[in-house]
Amino acid sequence: QKEVEQNSGPLSVPEGAIASLNCTYSDRGSQSFFWYRQYSGKSPELIMFIYSNGDKEDGRFTAQLNKASQYVSLLIRDSQPSDSATYLCAVGIQGAQKLVFGQGTRLTINP
Amino acid sequence: EPEVTQTPSHQVTQMGQEVILRCVPISNHLYFYWYRQILGQKVEFLVSFYNNEISEKSEIFDDQFSVERPDGSNFTLKIRSTKLEDSAMYFCASSLARENYGYTFGSGTRLTVV
């Protein structure tokens, strides 16, 4: 069973601080890694994807991937109240046309 | 920005009834998916569809489920005889290429089986 694990939270961060969200995965054959944001009652919205080890930055968001440790993270700089949502880590399985999702981390940014 | 459109947004049905959930993927996308999310739980893969056939399906996607692309624009999920445990948000998604750059999800259909 291919698993993706996230701390369900809630994670509470003051406005303007850095929020750090973590995810581990079990399948070493995983090749693509995604972070989605999901507001309550809404559909997942793609924030970032990363394929290679290291960091990838897009505005206030940085995704980090360490395939040796089977670990992927998302940093949100200068957190805003509008960043309050559930963040879903998803992993693309090698040879499969599907994503496996973690249970999500609920993030709250406190003004 | 192109969108994946799903209808209806909410469907209530009696146990044992058939339901059809409808999706209009982004027009130039080639790969289509259905996922579901039971309240408070993970987003779960149901099925992927390419070139008018199922390319992969999960254990959840049993004989009660079917998918169809009837007219080149719509993509439908049919549940033949609904059960209480089918109550969930159902998300359609599409992508342009097999290489996984992430999907665009539709806004979802909340299915409630009573």
Side-chain angles (χ1 to χ4, degrees), chain A residues 11-20 60-61 75-84 107-111:
Chain A
L11 176 65
S12 187
V13 171
E15 184 176 356
I18 296 175
S20 177
R60 295 187 296 113
F61 299 96
L75 301 178
I76 307 174
R77 288 182 299 281
D78 188 23
S79 298
Q80 303 297 310
S82 58
D83 295 327
S84 297
L107 174 66
T108 301
I109 306 300
N110 300 309

Side-chain angles (χ1 to χ4, degrees), chain A residues 6 8-9 12 25 27-29 34 36-37 44-46 51 59-60 63 65 69-70 80-81 85-86 91 95 99:
Chain A
Q6 295 181 255
S8 60
S12 187
Y25 59 94
D27 183 6
R28 284 198 172 273
F34 304 86
Y36 284 85
R37 177 174 61 200
E45 174 192 4
L46 181 66
Y51 286 178
R60 295 187 296 113
L65 175 61
S69 300
Q70 295 174 246
Q80 303 297 310
T86 297
V91 174
L99 297 180

Side-chain angles (χ1 to χ4, degrees), chain A residues 31-99:
Chain A
Q31 295 187 315
S32 50
F33 307 87
F34 304 86
W35 284 100
Y36 284 85
R37 177 174 61 200
Q38 187 176 33
Y39 293 113
S40 181
K42 303 295 186 183
S43 61
E45 174 192 4
L46 181 66
I47 298 174
M48 293 192 71
F49 63 86
I50 185 167
Y51 286 178
S52 304
N53 277 328
D55 294 0
K56 179 181 178 183
E57 188 174 315
D58 183 2
R60 295 187 296 113
F61 299 96
T62 299
Q64 300 174 314
L65 175 61
N66 183 327
K67 289 187 179 180
S69 300
Q70 295 174 246
Y71 176 92
V72 59
S73 65
L74 179 70
L75 301 178
I76 307 174
R77 288 182 299 281
D78 188 23
S79 298
Q80 303 297 310
S82 58
D83 295 327
S84 297
T86 297
Y87 288 80
L88 309 178
C89 174
V91 174
I93 305 300
Q94 182 181 19
Q97 194 62 18
K98 67 179 183 182
L99 297 180

Side-chain angles (χ1 to χ4, degrees), chain B residues 9-61:
Chain B
S9 57
H10 192 187
Q11 172 109 33
V12 180
T13 189
Q14 289 203 324
M15 190 169 53
Q17 295 297 303
E18 175 184 286
V19 295
I20 297 176
L21 309 183
R22 291 183 164 80
C23 170
V24 178
I26 294 173
S27 62
N28 63 338
H29 283 190
L30 301 175
Y31 295 84
F32 314 112
Y33 314 88
W34 284 100
Y35 284 74
R36 78 173 187 189
Q37 187 175 30
I38 295 170
L39 188 64
Q41 297 189 24
K42 296 183 182 186
V43 175
E44 301 174 288
F45 169 75
L46 294 178
V47 66
S48 59
F49 191 87
Y50 169 72
N51 200 25
N52 282 320
E53 60 182 25
I54 291 174
S55 46
E56 185 151 0
K57 60 183 180 179
S58 72
E59 292 174 353
I60 302 168
F61 195 89

